[in-house]
């Protein structure tokens, strides 16, 4: 499995960057995980946008879905030009309902709600776990039968990571704050130290920090996490590729 960072910033892109989005390539499938602002411009460097096999949206906050509505236009043009003839399968939480409704677009989207049941695409299995966030949000565990990626999405300190399985080969976790900057009552987000502590508890083999504030030097985030996490630890950057 290959994991490519298309976007890693929040709540808005850094210059030339993008908010949250990743391309998963495995089993001859190309699957988009989240679709934030600027993600499609990064994806277009790698492949024709309309050739995606599926999309998973962890939750329906703007920094994770804003480019999805531009993706709808790309599918419309591809359909009109007969470059794509099948609807794009899209999984997303059904709440908030008014945003879930907006994901539909003519007959171009095959929209499916994320729930407790796993989803299979070829040899890949996707399982979903609620996180501690302001709206329904799901961490996604992806397995090809041999290797595993755990994408933590947006997740606060009350997230129950114990139900998500141990020893992911790659753990992608948000690092919204340096630990000393945590608000008194954090809701829905973690510090780099907390991300590393979760990685240790999960016995993750590799940690990738994401959900970065665009005006921050990311170096201290990596240093804070690496002081806790014993394995390879990196801070996301646009275009980074990790083979799992």
């Amino acid at each position: 499995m290959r994991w490519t960072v298309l976007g890693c910033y929040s709540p808005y892109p850094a210059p030339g960057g993008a908010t949250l989005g990743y391309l998963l390539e495995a089993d001859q499938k190309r699957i988009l995980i989240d679709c934030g602002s600027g993600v499609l411009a990064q994806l277009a460097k790698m492949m024709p946008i309309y050739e995606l096999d599926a999309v998973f949206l962890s939750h329906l906050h703007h920094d994770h879905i804003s480019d999805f509505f531009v993706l709808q236009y790309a599918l419309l043009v591809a359909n009109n030009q007969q470059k794509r003839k099948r609807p794009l399968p899209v999984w997303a939480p059904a709440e908030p309902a008014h945003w879930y409704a907006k994901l539909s677009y003519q007959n171009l989207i095959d929209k499916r709600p994320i729930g407790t049941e796993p989803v299979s695409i070829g040899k890949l299995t996707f399982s979903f776990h609620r996180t501690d966030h302001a709206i329904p949000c799901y961490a996604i565990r992806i397995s090809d039968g041999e290797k595993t990626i755990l994408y933590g999405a947006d997740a606060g300190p009350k997230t129950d990571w114990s139900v998500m399985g141990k020893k992911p080969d790659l753990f992608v976790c948000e690092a919204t704050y340096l630990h000393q900057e945590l608000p008194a009552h954090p809701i829905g987000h973690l510090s780099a130290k907390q991300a590393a502590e979760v990685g240790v508890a999960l016995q993750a083999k590799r940690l990738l920090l994401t959900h970065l504030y665009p005006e921050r030097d990311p170096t201290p985030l990596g240093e804070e996490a690496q002081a806790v996490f014993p394995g390879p630890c990196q801070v996301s950057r646009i275009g980074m590729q990790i083979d799992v």
Side-chain angles (χ1 to χ4, degrees):
M1 294 188 289
R2 172 169 288 179
W3 184 266
T4 301
V5 178
L6 302 175
C8 56
Y9 296 104
S10 182
Y12 53 90
T19 61
L20 289 304
Y22 313 89
L23 178 64
L24 172 68
E25 297 174 278
D27 192 29
Q28 299 183 322
K29 305 292 184 183
R30 291 180 287 189
I31 297 168
L32 185 63
I33 312 291
D34 282 340
C35 191
S37 175
V39 163
L40 291 189
Q42 302 298 330
L43 179 63
K45 296 175 182 178
M46 302 185 62
M47 59 174 286
I49 293 170
Y50 54 81
E51 290 185 359
L52 283 168
D53 291 292
V55 175
F56 289 87
L57 301 175
S58 64
H59 66 296
L60 303 182
H61 272 157
H62 298 354
D63 55 334
H64 291 252
I65 67 168
S66 61
D67 258 17
F68 183 82
F69 304 105
V70 183
L71 174 59
Q72 292 172 341
Y73 287 168
L75 296 175
L76 176 62
V77 171
N79 181 265
N80 290 342
Q81 296 177 346
Q82 299 186 339
K83 293 179 178 178
R84 185 184 181 98
K85 298 182 180 180
R86 65 191 187 282
L88 178 65
V90 176
W91 284 265
E95 300 291 337
H98 65 289
W99 282 110
Y100 183 70
K102 293 177 186 293
L103 300 181
S104 299
Y105 192 67
Q106 299 186 19
N107 62 345
L108 303 173
I109 305 293
D110 180 7
K111 185 177 65 176
R112 310 174 190 188
I114 284 177
T116 57
E117 294 299 317
V119 169
S120 294
I121 299 177
K123 296 179 181 179
L124 302 174
T125 301
F126 299 78
S127 55
F128 312 100
H129 306 276
R130 279 289 297 267
T131 68
D132 170 25
H133 202 52
I135 62 173
C137 179
Y138 291 84
I140 305 174
R141 187 178 177 94
I142 307 158
S143 175
D144 66 357
E146 296 181 3
K147 301 287 188 175
T148 301
I149 298 171
L150 178 58
Y151 171 49
D154 285 10
K158 296 181 181 179
T159 299
D160 184 2
W161 299 99
S162 67
V163 300
M164 302 186 197
K166 297 283 189 178
K167 300 182 179 180
D169 295 279
L170 174 63
F171 177 38
V172 184
C173 190
E174 69 145 81
T176 300
Y177 305 106
L178 286 170
H179 200 70
Q180 65 187 19
E181 298 172 351
L182 273 174
H185 303 286
I187 298 175
H189 296 294
L190 298 176
S191 69
K193 179 182 178 182
Q194 289 172 322
E197 289 170 344
V198 173
V200 170
L202 292 173
Q203 301 174 37
K205 297 178 183 178
R206 186 171 187 170
L207 175 62
L208 179 63
L209 303 178
T210 191
H211 206 273
L212 314 174
Y213 182 58
E215 297 181 32
R216 179 199 303 281
D217 175 4
T219 303
L221 293 170
E223 293 172 346
E224 180 173 281
Q226 192 70 81
V228 175
F229 187 75
C233 176
Q234 295 170 283
V235 179
S236 291
R237 53 179 170 76
I238 303 298
M240 174 186 286
Q241 293 187 324
I242 297 176
D243 290 321
V244 177

